Amino acid sequence: MRALSAADPDALPALLVAQADPSPAVRQAAAEGFARIGGVRATDGLGALVLDVEPEVVAAAAAGLASLPPEAGGRERLLAGYAGGGTAGRLVIAAALDRLGVSLREAVEVEARLAWARNVAALGGEDGRARAGAAEELGASGRSEAVARLLALLEGPARADPRLAAAAARGLGAAGHRTARPTLEQLLEGRDREVAAAAAWALGRLGDPGAADALAAVAEWPGPAGATALEALEALPKAPEVAVALCAVALRCVEPGRAARAARLATLRDQACPVRPLLARLGAPGEVAALAALAELRLEPAEAETASRRLLAALAGSGGAPEARAAAARALGRLGWAGAATPLAERAALLTRKVAEARAPLPTGAPALASAAPAALPAPAAPPPAERRVAGPGPTAFTDPPGARELGAVLLAAARLGAEVEPLLQAALGDGSPAIRAGAVEGLAVRRGAAALGPLGEALGDADPQVRAAAARALGRLGPVGAPPLVRAAAASPASDAAGRAALAAALGEAGGPEAVGGLTALLSGPSTAAAVEGLARLGASAGAVPLTRLVSTPGAPALPASIEALAALGGPEAGPVLAPHLTSDRADVREAAVRGLGRLRSEATSGRLEALRSDYDGRVRRAAVEALARLPARRAGGRP
């Protein structure tokens, strides 16, 4: 292929065949051949190859286009290639445009015009999927005209199409114009949960605290729409009405995890949620959710005592589902009323005996020891080794007899309140129930602190994920002293254990210390990448810049926007050249992250490309570019970059 000359009459047909060859090497050779032919005859071939998926092919085609005479149209093909190329190709094309003396801004403007025209045409077409995609993309432009088109769309028959209505809602959220709030709130009230979830997400993106009440009403729903609405509430500014709305979700939601999160978010915003409505739900539907929310509140001492006495009375009774009793115990431990310590210790001793009796029933006529003092109780009988740690997603009938979940929660609660339950905790470490072992692991960490490193490290290798997660949390709370066993576990964790690796990353981020960086580096792959990046960002250690640099420099790396932001926060000026190539990414979220990161680094060297991105199709990228340029020293001094 490379032997063909421009004078060869068979050169052009051979190159036209070669440009579609499966081999990247052949296609690259074809690009080089077209460049040798030169002139107008080579333009079409090079224009097609500049859109290739292989960077080497794109580089050869871009170099060929840049070498063509002006009348051959190489410049125009490069601009079109930038608009239609992938990330690696766009970087190569941008370099070719630089050699031609063409500003990247011109390529960005061409891309924006083409994208707008394509999306407007698709929105007016008949293909439902294409219309939905175009609605979202039009909104992402952030243009006022896009908002007007999407609002008009939702006022017409298209509103009856759930897919299109949801896409239009997301588009309005991406546009960021608060004038869309009334329409989005109306979409929340519809019956279609997909549309409601999209509207909730959009309201979160708008950031208008006035939408808090409407979002709170949806956040109570079960399923994805309710979860999205709570995330949207969390994204709103710290206004009083948002905190009140979060309390409303905590009081009314029947999903424990969501109720607890809403209460926690309200507490972080210094909102005092009422306690009585939560206590009124004891013994009623949604009881577990109410208890989970109660555990997250910061109560005044008198309120904590009143609530704790109610919960102790509930535990003293014989009714209630096992999960509700466990939730009550967890809440007692979190409320912090010291008067509950002794009753909880007694309850732990009683439950220990009951669990042992359930596994090995006493012979007829044997004396009952349930009311014996805690210190007089024998340790629970350990199950046979083969049955002690059962691998799998949940407990077996043997490992979780009645009272097991409550006992695990009571052990931890008693330890938190300072009760003398170490003998029970120590014995429970070898229990057959994952729930009991998990409670014992965290309780022992509370009682012993760094002295519990040995048992906690062993628990990281437990067969049950619940116990492993409890051990990771406990080690993370110990601070840097808890990092070494977490680092070892991270290095040994299989890539398939996504939840376990995420738990280790969160714990390492909380533990901190120099050693934690190594553990988080081991988790920077697969499904745990995002959690590991978050952990490195939380550490704030400059040593984290090294693994993040490798990650950000890897083509197709996961969690790229978060990784770019973390690297900008942890790295110094040397991070600038690592982030700069992402300014030409074909992903708007990556471009935005790179722009913000370089603005944070005050990178004067990239000012030209930042200036070009003021014309980006995506509204968020444009706004980020304006903000980044304003942070550059030359701009702050009143000059031009």
Side-chain angles (χ1 to χ4, degrees):
M1 190 64 58
R2 291 185 170 87
L4 292 173
S5 68
D8 190 335
D10 296 326
L12 192 58
L15 293 174
L16 291 173
V17 172
Q19 74 177 12
D21 194 273
S23 169
V26 173
R27 298 198 303 276
Q28 181 179 351
E32 294 167 353
F34 278 122
R36 284 195 299 274
I37 289 177
V40 177
R41 292 188 303 162
T43 305
D44 288 342
L46 291 170
L49 288 168
V50 84
L51 295 171
D52 200 278
V53 296
E54 295 294 334
E56 295 80 5
V57 179
V58 177
L65 287 169
S67 67
L68 297 179
E71 65 273 11
R75 174 177 171 278
E76 289 72 19
R77 292 303 182 102
L78 283 171
L79 293 173
Y82 183 88
T87 293
R90 287 159 65 97
L91 185 61
V92 170
I93 294 170
L97 290 171
D98 284 343
R99 291 194 296 273
L100 282 178
V102 178
S103 168
L104 180 65
R105 181 168 192 160
E106 192 170 344
V108 171
E109 289 173 347
V110 168
E111 179 185 27
R113 287 196 299 271
L114 291 174
W116 177 263
R118 180 179 66 250
N119 289 321
V120 168
L123 189 66
E126 298 295 329
D127 187 315
R129 180 174 297 182
R131 294 187 76 198
E136 290 197 50
E137 288 296 320
L138 282 173
S141 73
R143 300 184 185 184
S144 299
E145 183 183 348
V147 175
R149 286 177 180 270
L150 293 175
L151 289 175
L153 187 73
L154 288 171
E155 291 171 0
R159 186 165 182 165
D161 179 351
R163 180 171 59 183
L164 185 54
R170 287 189 290 269
L172 288 170
H177 289 231
R178 291 192 178 185
T179 53
R181 189 188 118 197
T183 299
L184 292 171
E185 289 182 347
Q186 289 175 12
L187 294 178
L188 286 179
E189 300 170 0
R191 294 183 178 181
D192 190 279
R193 294 300 172 94
E194 180 187 357
V195 175
W201 177 88
L203 286 167
R205 290 289 290 263
L206 292 187
D208 188 344
D213 287 344
L215 286 169
V218 177
E220 302 169 25
W221 296 357
T228 301
L230 181 56
E231 291 172 0
L233 271 173
E234 183 178 1
L236 295 182
K238 293 184 177 180
E241 58 264 46
V242 178
V244 171
L246 287 166
C247 276
V249 177
L251 297 179
R252 297 196 295 259
C253 184
V254 297
E255 288 197 2
R258 196 180 307 154
R261 184 178 173 189
R264 182 165 57 253
L265 291 171
T267 300
L268 289 173
R269 296 180 183 227
D270 296 320
Q271 180 65 33
C273 301
V275 178
R276 286 186 180 180
L278 294 173
L279 295 176
R281 290 166 61 186
L282 298 184
E287 175 183 19
V288 175
L291 289 165
L294 183 63
E296 297 293 339
L297 301 183
R298 281 198 303 261
L299 304 184
E300 295 296 328
E303 283 186 313
E305 179 179 352
T306 299
S308 296
R309 289 186 183 279
R310 284 285 305 276
L311 298 182
L312 286 171
L315 289 180
S318 57
E323 183 50 44
R325 299 181 70 83
R330 287 192 291 269
L332 274 166
R334 299 291 297 275
L335 289 176
W337 181 55
T342 299
L344 281 173
E346 293 171 353
R347 184 72 187 165
L350 177 61
L351 288 170
T352 297
R353 171 51 59 89
K354 285 187 174 182
V355 167
E357 289 174 349
R359 288 173 174 155
L362 292 174
T364 304
L369 299 176
S371 60
L377 291 174
E387 298 177 285
R388 179 178 301 166
R389 297 186 179 182
V390 181
T396 66
F398 173 80
T399 58
D400 261 359
R405 278 189 282 181
E406 181 184 349
L407 175 55
V410 167
L411 285 169
L412 175 55
R416 278 180 169 157
L417 296 178
E420 295 295 335
V421 289
E422 275 207 48
L424 295 175
L425 290 169
Q426 187 65 42
L429 288 176
D431 196 273
S433 164
I436 294 176
R437 294 201 304 278
V441 163
E442 292 199 76
L444 202 66
V446 171
R447 293 292 296 162
R448 292 189 185 176
L453 279 179
L456 293 177
E458 291 180 12
L460 283 176
D462 195 279
D464 190 89
Q466 178 184 178
V467 182
R468 296 197 298 271
R473 286 194 301 270
L475 285 164
R477 293 179 188 130
L478 293 180
V481 72
L486 290 168
V487 171
R488 291 192 291 272
S493 62
S496 58
D497 184 13
R501 287 167 67 87
L504 288 170
L508 283 163
E510 184 173 7
E515 288 188 75
V517 174
L520 289 165
T521 300
L523 299 170
L524 280 176
S525 62
S528 62
T529 302
V533 169
E534 183 179 348
L536 286 169
R538 182 174 182 178
L539 286 183
S542 58
V546 175
L548 285 171
T549 294
R550 288 196 295 268
L551 180 65
V552 169
S553 302
T554 302
L560 195 50
S563 303
I564 288 172
E565 292 177 8
L567 179 58
L570 300 182
E574 61 274 12
V578 181
L579 302 186
H582 294 287
L583 291 174
T584 53
S585 170
D586 62 346
R587 288 175 48 185
D589 59 341
V590 173
R591 294 199 302 276
E592 181 189 358
V595 168
R596 294 194 183 283
L598 289 163
R600 179 171 188 160
L601 295 173
R602 294 177 169 82
S603 173
E604 288 281 7
T606 58
S607 61
R609 294 201 168 178
L610 290 174
E611 183 71 38
L613 290 177
R614 291 179 60 187
S615 300
D616 197 275
Y617 175 81
D618 191 277
R620 293 174 70 89
V621 177
R622 294 197 303 274
R623 290 190 290 272
V626 171
E627 293 168 5
L629 286 165
R631 301 182 71 173
L632 298 185
R635 288 297 181 93
R636 293 171 67 87
R640 298 283 298 177

